[in-house]
Amino acid sequence: MDADPGFTDLGVLPCTLDAGLAARAAIGLLVLATDQTMEHEFRHLIRLPGVAVYGSRLFNDADITPETLRAIGDRIAPATELILPSLHLDVVAFGCTSASMALGEEVVFRQIRRVRPEVACTTPVTAAFAAFKALGARRIGVLTPYAPEVNEVVRAYLNAHGPTVAAFATFDKRDDREAARITVDSVAAGIAALARGARLDAVFVSCTSLRLAERVAAIEAEVGIPVTSSGHALAWHCLRLAGVNDTVPSVGRLFECG
């Protein structure tokens, strides 16, 4: 049969390989199945050439209770194993604030290192503690979407391991799918109420489902103190743990800190 006169086979072409999208840092991100916010915020906050974020989802109950949070623990290692098997990661971040406190940070780290030995690890609360230190914050206000029984875990953990919780407020949403729909205006109003109600060095918005990154600089300008959140602090801490110390403009005072 004659060759098709309209077809040309160029064979194998030469190519070059570079260091890839993660030439500076590869960040693994563990995202809860119900989380609608964290990946969006990471894309907004981590926009540096050579830094890439690779995610994996893990199952969680939409109903947020201390029991459902603790149940997440055994799911961390299998989800970590799915992030770029056999390729290098600089950091693995577990993206649930309240579960990090219900389980304890070291439990989370042990689960990650079952499949990624020696990797740098962080959680939203780990990142928040690092952020408070970088910002010099000793008295903080805390805003959450959680139910009272989860708030008890959060307040006790922060007071035991971090700065003084001088003011606390909640939206009392039991379903994580609803927490993601709380408006940024509501979050901004909650932060302002905390800042008016007590002498604070910073405000922490606890929960990766709550949105902050898109308005953080404007909110800080309004309340006059630094503001961070679970996702905001986590993105910053991932960069710093990976050795990326660049400042990121217009996303809050924390991203000006080393």
Coordinates of all heavy atoms in Angstrom, one line a residue, residues 93-147:
A93 N 2.3 19.2 54.2 CA 1.4 20.0 55.1 C 0.1 19.3 55.2 O -0.6 19.0 54.2 CB 1.2 21.4 54.5
F94 N -0.4 19.1 56.4 CA -1.7 18.5 56.7 C -2.7 19.6 56.9 O -2.5 20.5 57.8 CB -1.6 17.6 58.0 CG -2.9 17.1 58.5 CD1 -3.7 16.3 57.7 CD2 -3.4 17.5 59.7 CE1 -4.9 15.8 58.1 CE2 -4.6 17.0 60.2 CZ -5.4 16.2 59.4
G95 N -3.7 19.6 56.1 CA -4.6 20.8 56.1 C -5.9 20.7 56.9 O -7.0 20.9 56.3
C96 N -5.8 20.4 58.2 CA -6.9 20.5 59.0 C -6.5 21.0 60.4 O -5.7 20.3 61.1 CB -7.7 19.2 59.2 SG -9.2 19.3 60.2
T97 N -7.0 22.2 60.8 CA -6.6 22.8 62.0 C -7.1 22.1 63.2 O -6.3 21.7 64.1 CB -7.1 24.3 62.1 OG1 -7.0 24.9 60.8 CG2 -6.3 25.1 63.1
S98 N -8.4 21.9 63.3 CA -9.0 21.3 64.5 C -8.5 19.8 64.6 O -8.3 19.4 65.8 CB -10.5 21.4 64.4 OG -11.0 20.9 63.2
A99 N -8.4 19.1 63.6 CA -7.9 17.7 63.7 C -6.4 17.7 64.2 O -6.0 16.8 64.9 CB -8.0 17.0 62.3
S100 N -5.6 18.7 63.8 CA -4.2 18.7 64.2 C -4.2 18.9 65.8 O -3.3 18.4 66.4 CB -3.5 19.9 63.6 OG -3.5 19.8 62.2
M101 N -5.2 19.6 66.3 CA -5.2 19.8 67.8 C -5.9 18.6 68.5 O -5.5 18.2 69.5 CB -5.9 21.1 68.1 CG -5.2 22.3 67.6 SD -5.9 23.9 68.2 CE -6.4 24.6 66.6
A102 N -6.9 18.0 67.8 CA -7.6 16.9 68.4 C -6.6 15.7 68.5 O -6.6 14.9 69.5 CB -8.8 16.5 67.7
L103 N -5.8 15.5 67.4 CA -4.9 14.4 67.4 C -3.5 14.8 68.1 O -2.9 13.9 68.7 CB -4.5 14.1 65.9 CG -5.7 13.4 65.1 CD1 -5.3 13.5 63.6 CD2 -5.8 12.0 65.5
G104 N -3.1 16.0 68.0 CA -1.8 16.4 68.4 C -0.9 16.5 67.2 O -0.9 15.6 66.4
E105 N -0.1 17.5 67.2 CA 0.8 17.7 66.0 C 1.8 16.6 65.8 O 2.0 16.1 64.7 CB 1.6 19.0 66.2 CG 0.8 20.3 66.2 CD 1.5 21.5 66.8 OE1 2.3 22.1 66.1 OE2 1.3 21.7 68.0
E106 N 2.3 16.0 66.9 CA 3.3 15.0 66.7 C 2.7 13.7 66.2 O 3.3 12.9 65.4 CB 4.0 14.7 68.1 CG 5.0 15.8 68.5 CD 6.1 16.1 67.5 OE1 6.5 15.1 66.9 OE2 6.4 17.2 67.3
V107 N 1.4 13.4 66.5 CA 0.7 12.3 65.9 C 0.6 12.5 64.4 O 0.8 11.6 63.6 CB -0.6 12.1 66.5 CG1 -1.5 11.0 65.8 CG2 -0.5 11.7 68.0
V108 N 0.2 13.7 64.0 CA 0.2 14.0 62.5 C 1.5 13.8 61.9 O 1.6 13.1 60.8 CB -0.4 15.4 62.3 CG1 -0.3 15.8 60.8 CG2 -1.8 15.6 62.9
F109 N 2.6 14.3 62.5 CA 3.9 14.2 61.9 C 4.3 12.7 61.8 O 4.9 12.3 60.8 CB 4.9 15.0 62.7 CG 4.7 16.4 62.8 CD1 5.2 17.2 63.8 CD2 3.9 17.1 61.8 CE1 5.0 18.5 63.9 CE2 3.7 18.4 61.9 CZ 4.2 19.2 62.9
R110 N 4.0 11.9 62.8 CA 4.4 10.5 62.7 C 3.7 9.8 61.6 O 4.3 8.9 60.9 CB 4.1 9.8 64.0 CG 5.1 10.1 65.1 CD 5.0 9.1 66.3 NE 3.7 9.0 66.9 CZ 3.4 9.8 67.9 NH1 4.3 10.7 68.4 NH2 2.2 9.7 68.5
Q111 N 2.4 10.1 61.3 CA 1.7 9.5 60.3 C 2.3 9.9 58.9 O 2.4 9.1 58.0 CB 0.2 10.0 60.3 CG -0.6 9.3 61.5 CD -0.8 7.9 61.2 OE1 -0.9 7.4 60.1 NE2 -1.0 7.1 62.3
I112 N 2.6 11.2 58.7 CA 3.2 11.6 57.5 C 4.6 10.9 57.2 O 4.9 10.4 56.1 CB 3.4 13.1 57.5 CG1 2.1 13.9 57.4 CG2 4.3 13.6 56.3 CD1 2.2 15.4 57.6
R113 N 5.4 10.8 58.3 CA 6.7 10.2 58.1 C 6.7 8.7 58.1 O 7.8 8.1 57.8 CB 7.6 10.7 59.3 CG 7.9 12.2 59.1 CD 8.7 12.8 60.2 NE 9.1 14.2 59.9 CZ 9.2 15.2 60.8 NH1 8.9 14.9 62.1 NH2 9.5 16.4 60.5
R114 N 5.6 8.1 58.2 CA 5.5 6.6 57.9 C 5.8 6.4 56.5 O 6.4 5.3 56.2 CB 4.1 6.1 58.3 CG 3.8 5.9 59.7 CD 2.4 5.5 60.0 NE 2.0 4.3 59.1 CZ 0.8 3.9 58.9 NH1 -0.3 4.6 59.5 NH2 0.5 2.9 58.2
V115 N 5.5 7.3 55.6 CA 5.7 7.1 54.2 C 6.7 8.2 53.6 O 7.2 8.0 52.5 CB 4.4 7.1 53.4 CG1 3.5 6.0 53.8 CG2 3.6 8.4 53.6
R116 N 6.9 9.2 54.3 CA 7.9 10.3 53.9 C 8.9 10.5 55.1 O 8.9 11.6 55.7 CB 7.2 11.5 53.5 CG 6.4 11.5 52.2 CD 7.4 11.6 51.0 NE 6.7 11.6 49.8 CZ 7.3 11.9 48.6 NH1 8.6 12.2 48.6 NH2 6.6 11.8 47.5
P117 N 9.7 9.6 55.4 CA 10.7 9.8 56.5 C 11.5 11.0 56.3 O 12.0 11.3 55.2 CB 11.5 8.5 56.4 CG 10.7 7.5 55.7 CD 9.9 8.3 54.7
E118 N 11.7 11.8 57.4 CA 12.6 12.9 57.4 C 12.0 14.1 56.7 O 12.7 15.2 56.7 CB 14.0 12.6 56.9 CG 14.6 11.4 57.5 CD 14.7 11.5 59.0 OE1 15.0 12.6 59.5 OE2 14.6 10.4 59.7
V119 N 10.9 14.1 56.1 CA 10.4 15.2 55.4 C 10.0 16.3 56.4 O 9.5 16.0 57.5 CB 9.2 14.9 54.5 CG1 7.9 14.6 55.3 CG2 8.9 16.0 53.4
A120 N 10.1 17.6 56.0 CA 9.6 18.7 56.9 C 8.1 18.6 56.9 O 7.5 18.4 55.8 CB 10.1 20.0 56.3
C121 N 7.5 18.8 58.0 CA 6.1 18.7 58.2 C 5.5 19.9 58.9 O 6.2 20.6 59.7 CB 5.7 17.5 59.1 SG 6.2 15.9 58.5
T122 N 4.3 20.2 58.5 CA 3.6 21.3 59.2 C 2.1 21.0 59.2 O 1.6 20.2 58.4 CB 3.9 22.7 58.6 OG1 3.3 23.7 59.5 CG2 3.4 22.8 57.2
T123 N 1.4 21.7 60.1 CA -0.1 21.7 60.2 C -0.5 23.1 60.3 O 0.3 24.0 60.6 CB -0.6 20.9 61.4 OG1 -0.4 21.7 62.6 CG2 0.1 19.5 61.5
P124 N -1.8 23.4 60.2 CA -2.2 24.8 60.4 C -1.9 25.4 61.8 O -1.5 26.6 61.9 CB -3.7 24.8 60.2 CG -3.9 23.6 59.2 CD -2.9 22.6 59.7
V125 N -2.0 24.6 62.8 CA -1.7 25.1 64.1 C -0.1 25.3 64.3 O 0.3 26.2 64.9 CB -2.3 24.3 65.2 CG1 -1.7 22.9 65.4 CG2 -2.2 25.0 66.6
T126 N 0.6 24.3 63.8 CA 2.1 24.5 63.8 C 2.5 25.7 63.1 O 3.3 26.5 63.6 CB 2.7 23.3 63.1 OG1 2.2 22.0 63.5 CG2 4.3 23.2 63.3
A127 N 1.9 26.0 61.9 CA 2.2 27.2 61.1 C 1.7 28.4 61.9 O 2.4 29.5 61.9 CB 1.5 27.1 59.8
A128 N 0.6 28.3 62.6 CA 0.1 29.5 63.3 C 1.1 29.8 64.5 O 1.4 31.0 64.7 CB -1.3 29.2 63.9
F129 N 1.6 28.8 65.2 CA 2.5 29.1 66.2 C 3.8 29.8 65.7 O 4.3 30.7 66.3 CB 2.9 27.8 67.0 CG 1.8 27.2 67.8 CD1 1.8 25.9 68.0 CD2 0.9 28.0 68.4 CE1 0.8 25.3 68.8 CE2 -0.1 27.5 69.2 CZ -0.2 26.1 69.4
A130 N 4.3 29.3 64.5 CA 5.4 29.9 63.9 C 5.1 31.4 63.5 O 5.9 32.3 63.6 CB 5.9 29.1 62.7
A131 N 3.9 31.6 63.0 CA 3.5 32.9 62.6 C 3.4 33.9 63.8 O 3.9 35.0 63.7 CB 2.1 32.8 61.9
F132 N 2.8 33.4 64.9 CA 2.8 34.3 66.1 C 4.2 34.7 66.5 O 4.4 35.8 66.9 CB 2.1 33.6 67.2 CG 0.7 33.1 66.9 CD1 0.1 31.9 67.5 CD2 -0.2 33.8 66.0 CE1 -1.1 31.5 67.3 CE2 -1.5 33.3 65.8 CZ -1.9 32.2 66.4
K133 N 5.1 33.8 66.5 CA 6.5 34.1 66.8 C 7.1 35.1 65.9 O 7.7 36.1 66.3 CB 7.3 32.8 66.9 CG 8.7 33.0 67.3 CD 9.5 31.7 67.4 CE 10.9 31.9 67.9 NZ 11.7 30.6 68.0
A134 N 6.9 34.9 64.6 CA 7.4 35.8 63.6 C 6.8 37.2 63.7 O 7.5 38.2 63.5 CB 7.2 35.2 62.2
L135 N 5.6 37.3 64.1 CA 4.9 38.5 64.2 C 5.1 39.2 65.6 O 4.6 40.3 65.9 CB 3.4 38.4 64.0 CG 3.0 38.0 62.5 CD1 1.6 37.5 62.4 CD2 3.3 39.1 61.6
G136 N 5.7 38.4 66.6 CA 5.8 38.9 67.9 C 4.5 39.0 68.7 O 4.3 39.9 69.5
A137 N 3.6 38.1 68.3 CA 2.2 38.2 68.9 C 2.1 37.4 70.2 O 2.3 36.1 70.1 CB 1.2 37.7 67.9
R138 N 1.8 38.0 71.3 CA 1.7 37.3 72.6 C 0.2 37.2 73.1 O -0.1 36.3 73.8 CB 2.5 38.0 73.7 CG 4.0 38.0 73.4 CD 4.8 38.7 74.5 NE 6.2 38.5 74.4 CZ 7.0 39.3 73.6 NH1 6.4 40.2 72.8 NH2 8.3 39.1 73.5
R139 N -0.6 38.1 72.6 CA -2.0 38.0 72.9 C -2.8 38.0 71.6 O -2.7 38.9 70.8 CB -2.5 39.3 73.7 CG -1.9 39.3 75.2 CD -2.2 40.6 75.8 NE -3.6 41.0 75.8 CZ -4.5 40.6 76.7 NH1 -4.2 39.8 77.7 NH2 -5.8 41.0 76.6
I140 N -3.6 36.9 71.4 CA -4.3 36.8 70.1 C -5.8 36.7 70.3 O -6.3 36.3 71.4 CB -3.7 35.5 69.4 CG1 -4.0 34.2 70.2 CG2 -2.3 35.6 69.1 CD1 -3.9 33.0 69.4
G141 N -6.5 37.1 69.3 CA -7.9 36.8 69.2 C -8.1 35.7 68.2 O -7.3 35.5 67.2
V142 N -9.1 34.8 68.5 CA -9.3 33.6 67.6 C -10.7 33.6 67.1 O -11.7 33.8 67.9 CB -9.0 32.3 68.4 CG1 -9.3 31.1 67.6 CG2 -7.6 32.3 69.0
L143 N -10.9 33.4 65.8 CA -12.2 33.4 65.2 C -12.3 32.0 64.5 O -11.4 31.6 63.8 CB -12.3 34.4 64.1 CG -13.6 34.5 63.3 CD1 -14.8 34.8 64.2 CD2 -13.5 35.5 62.2
T144 N -13.4 31.3 64.8 CA -13.6 29.9 64.3 C -15.0 29.8 63.7 O -15.9 30.5 64.1 CB -13.4 28.8 65.4 OG1 -14.6 28.6 66.1 CG2 -12.3 29.2 66.4
P145 N -15.2 28.7 63.0 CA -16.6 28.3 62.6 C -17.1 27.2 63.4 O -18.2 26.7 63.1 CB -16.4 27.9 61.1 CG -15.1 27.2 61.2 CD -14.2 27.9 62.2
Y146 N -16.4 26.7 64.4 CA -16.7 25.5 65.1 C -17.8 25.5 66.1 O -18.2 26.6 66.6 CB -15.4 25.0 65.8 CG -14.2 25.0 65.0 CD1 -13.0 25.5 65.5 CD2 -14.1 24.4 63.7 CE1 -11.8 25.5 64.8 CE2 -13.0 24.4 63.0 CZ -11.8 25.0 63.5 OH -10.6 25.0 62.8
A147 N -18.3 24.3 66.4 CA -19.3 24.1 67.5 C -18.5 24.2 68.8 O -17.3 24.1 68.9 CB -19.9 22.7 67.4

